[in-house]
Amino acid sequence: MEYYSRHISGLIEQLSRLPGIGAKSAQRLAFHIMNMPADQVGMLASSMTQAREKVRYCKNCWTLTDEELCPICSNAKRDHTQIMVVENTRDLAAYEKTGKYEGVYHVLHGAISPMLGIGPDEIRLKELMTRLQTEEVSEVIIATNSSLEGETTAMYISKLIKPTGIKVTRIASGVPVGGDLEYIDEVTLLRALEGRVEL
Amino acid sequence: MEYYSRHISGLIEQLSRLPGIGAKSAQRLAFHIMNMPADQVGMLASSMTQAREKVRYCKNCWTLTDEELCPICSNAKRDHTQIMVVENTRDLAAYEKTGKYEGVYHVLHGAISPMLGIGPDEIRLKELMTRLQTEEVSEVIIATNSSLEGETTAMYISKLIKPTGIKVTRIASGVPVGGDLEYIDEVTLLRALEGRVEL
């Protein structure tokens, strides 16, 4: 890219490393950014560094947040006896968008995958079990993806929780098999929640 | 997005303002950025502010660059008697990628568009005419897009240059290489027919 000058090439290269952004989009974005008012570019840049700097895990549910307790865990109006277990914060956001779930969450940050060598200790499962011992929990809703890894994780968790006597449910398979929660429409997500069955 | 904390929501919002990045992609990018090593986020952010800060127009051809003269204008090996006129720096980059054009460029930063109220004075046309008076130029190749605006601009420029006696050419329009006739619009097909060359 020697026909672009150093800073332009640098920006294009940085942008093209982001997921889902190819060479053409990176170029288009770079020129857009260079045409933006300087203060807006500054805001965009600092929102990145700030989010990266401040981000941490909620000490209770392990979602990504920037406070010790995330907005959901610190909300007294939520039903803290109902915990929905999800694979990541994006999946949590997907359920939050339905606006109908009133319980709280637990974010595993992954799923058990023998193929990728991810065992139960690599995800936030121990932390979930600790919560079940220390908090008053009446139901654990397992909302891992309906992929092989998600199902494996669901089975594993349900076996782990069963002996405690706490009710364990799984979101219904209204979610298409192999689907990623993040991309599923809200109606389907709600249908899956309503149709959850006890494991 | 009150289920995300302030900094995460802020980043998602900033990203979703970029062209071609919808709500879902912004979210995906934000989480990717928060999972990147902090120094890489810093590099990405500073490449934006730096490019924006340093960017300026080449004083000769008006392409976006970060020096007084762009790498092409300052390259003595290029043929400075041949000027290709393009609408923007991305179009310049497109021709540079062919690796076969050895002349220099002139970037108009737009095209004449009566519909959008963009007249000849809104693009870098006066600057082109100045170059033709001060530089030794043998040919001006008009490579504006083959849209209505691009064609209008091409006609306007050619009329302007003709009296100077400098050769003015227009890049050929026709069926793209590898293109399937079946999927090509009628105007292009007609243009290709009109511009047919003897074999």
Side-chain angles (χ1 to χ4, degrees):
Chain A
M1 293 194 294
E2 73 291 347
Y3 40 92
Y4 287 137
S5 53
R6 195 163 54 89
H7 290 96
I8 304 180
S9 310
L11 176 55
I12 295 173
E13 202 205 309
Q14 289 286 333
L15 290 170
S16 62
R17 286 187 194 164
L18 294 172
I21 296 187
K24 280 265 158 74
S25 319
Q27 200 174 299
R28 176 169 289 271
L29 279 175
F31 281 101
H32 177 85
I33 288 168
M34 286 183 299
N35 282 310
M36 273 163 66
D39 61 325
Q40 274 182 32
V41 178
M43 272 166 62
L44 172 61
S46 73
S47 68
M48 287 181 180
T49 48
Q50 284 223 348
R52 177 62 187 80
E53 200 177 284
K54 305 279 183 195
V55 74
R56 53 153 114 183
Y57 297 113
C58 168
K59 71 167 183 176
N60 195 45
C61 78
W62 295 85
T63 191
L64 288 169
T65 186
D66 51 27
E67 283 144 298
E68 207 173 356
L69 262 188
C70 76
I72 296 168
C73 283
S74 56
N75 185 347
K77 284 183 195 146
R78 305 289 296 227
D79 179 357
H80 289 258
T81 68
Q82 210 176 27
I83 298 181
M84 181 186 281
V85 178
V86 292
E87 291 183 22
N88 57 51
T89 301
R90 289 196 306 273
D91 293 345
L92 176 158
Y95 257 107
E96 279 303 286
K97 272 179 201 145
T98 69
K100 301 285 184 194
Y101 176 66
E102 313 211 305
V104 294
Y105 296 89
H106 188 86
V107 182
L108 295 174
H109 291 284
I112 295 168
S113 169
M115 288 250 290
L116 298 171
I118 300 170
D121 293 343
E122 263 84 41
I123 60 178
R124 300 289 181 188
L125 205 47
K126 214 169 51 210
E127 289 81 357
L128 173 63
M129 298 314 288
T130 308
R131 286 179 72 180
L132 300 187
Q133 281 159 18
T134 56
E135 297 173 31
E136 190 102 12
V137 178
S138 61
E139 182 180 1
V140 174
I141 303 166
I142 306 179
T144 50
N145 286 327
S146 68
S147 60
L148 182 61
E149 290 78 15
E151 295 294 354
T152 306
T153 310
M155 290 317 296
Y156 189 92
I157 296 176
S158 88
K159 273 187 194 155
L160 215 60
I161 298 178
K162 276 280 170 66
T164 67
I166 295 169
K167 188 173 164 193
V168 186
T169 58
R170 175 87 174 107
I171 53 167
S173 58
V175 177
V177 174
D180 193 328
L181 282 197
E182 195 187 343
Y183 293 112
I184 293 163
D185 67 283
E186 291 160 27
V187 179
T188 307
L189 286 174
L190 277 177
R191 195 72 56 77
L193 178 63
E194 283 158 10
R196 67 187 186 272
V197 291
E198 198 164 342
L199 295 178
Chain B
M1 292 194 294
E2 73 290 348
Y3 40 91
Y4 286 138
S5 53
R6 194 163 55 88
H7 289 97
I8 303 181
S9 310
L11 176 55
I12 295 174
E13 201 205 309
Q14 288 287 334
L15 289 170
S16 63
R17 286 186 193 166
L18 294 173
I21 296 188
K24 282 266 157 82
S25 319
Q27 199 173 301
R28 174 168 289 271
L29 280 175
F31 282 100
H32 177 84
I33 288 167
M34 286 184 298
N35 282 311
M36 272 163 65
D39 61 325
Q40 275 182 33
V41 177
M43 272 166 61
L44 172 61
S46 73
S47 70
M48 286 181 181
T49 49
Q50 284 224 348
R52 177 61 187 81
E53 200 176 285
K54 306 278 182 192
V55 74
R56 53 153 114 181
Y57 297 114
C58 169
K59 70 167 183 176
N60 195 46
C61 77
W62 295 85
T63 191
L64 289 169
T65 185
D66 51 25
E67 283 145 297
E68 207 174 356
L69 262 189
C70 76
I72 296 168
C73 283
S74 57
N75 185 346
K77 284 183 194 146
R78 306 287 297 225
D79 179 358
H80 290 258
T81 68
Q82 209 175 30
I83 298 181
M84 181 185 282
V85 178
V86 291
E87 291 185 21
N88 57 51
T89 302
R90 289 197 305 275
D91 294 346
L92 175 158
Y95 256 105
E96 279 301 287
K97 272 179 199 142
T98 69
K100 299 287 184 194
Y101 177 65
E102 313 211 304
V104 293
Y105 296 89
H106 188 86
V107 182
L108 295 172
H109 291 285
I112 296 168
S113 168
M115 289 250 289
L116 298 172
I118 300 170
D121 292 342
E122 262 83 44
I123 60 177
R124 300 290 180 186
L125 205 48
K126 214 169 51 210
E127 289 81 355
L128 173 64
M129 298 315 286
T130 309
R131 286 179 71 180
L132 299 187
Q133 282 159 16
T134 56
E135 296 173 31
E136 189 103 13
V137 178
S138 61
E139 182 180 359
V140 174
I141 303 166
I142 307 179
T144 50
N145 288 327
S146 66
S147 60
L148 181 61
E149 292 77 14
E151 295 294 356
T152 306
T153 310
M155 290 315 297
Y156 189 91
I157 297 177
S158 86
K159 272 187 195 155
L160 215 59
I161 297 178
K162 276 279 171 67
T164 66
I166 295 168
K167 188 174 164 190
V168 187
T169 58
R170 175 90 174 106
I171 53 165
S173 64
V175 178
V177 176
D180 194 328
L181 284 196
E182 190 183 342
Y183 298 112
I184 293 163
D185 64 280
E186 291 158 32
V187 180
T188 305
L189 287 177
L190 280 177
R191 194 73 59 80
L193 181 61
E194 283 161 14
R196 67 188 182 275
V197 290
E198 204 166 331
L199 295 180

